[in-house]
Amino acid sequence: MSRCSKKCNEIKAKIDSISGLDDDYIYGKLIQLELIVEQIVSQIEIYADADELNGTCFKEKD
């Protein structure tokens, strides 16, 4: 498992730990989290699309 897959799974587990809760405060925080995640994922997608090697183990280290 790659370190990125491992980190994604850790983040998912943290979110899953609160998935049974349900009130307006928590829902609002989840909406905020979603907006931040969308921004970061968009940046990652732009980076990955800029060069076919970006985001792969074949990308040369700087």
Side-chain angles (χ1 to χ4, degrees), residues 23-37:
D23 69 15
D24 291 340
Y25 175 81
I26 295 167
Y27 187 76
K29 292 296 182 184
L30 287 171
I31 295 299
Q32 290 176 350
L33 179 61
E34 181 180 31
L35 293 173
I36 293 167
V37 168

Side-chain angles (χ1 to χ4, degrees), residues 10 13 15-16 18 22 30 39 43 48 51 53 56:
E10 290 170 356
I15 294 170
D16 284 344
I18 61 166
D22 191 8
L30 287 171
Q39 290 174 352
Q43 292 169 357
D51 184 320
L53 296 181
T56 71

Side-chain angles (χ1 to χ4, degrees), residues 42-55 59:
S42 176
Q43 292 169 357
I44 291 169
E45 289 172 338
I46 290 168
Y47 167 77
D49 290 345
D51 184 320
E52 66 182 29
L53 296 181
N54 285 353
K59 171 97 174 163

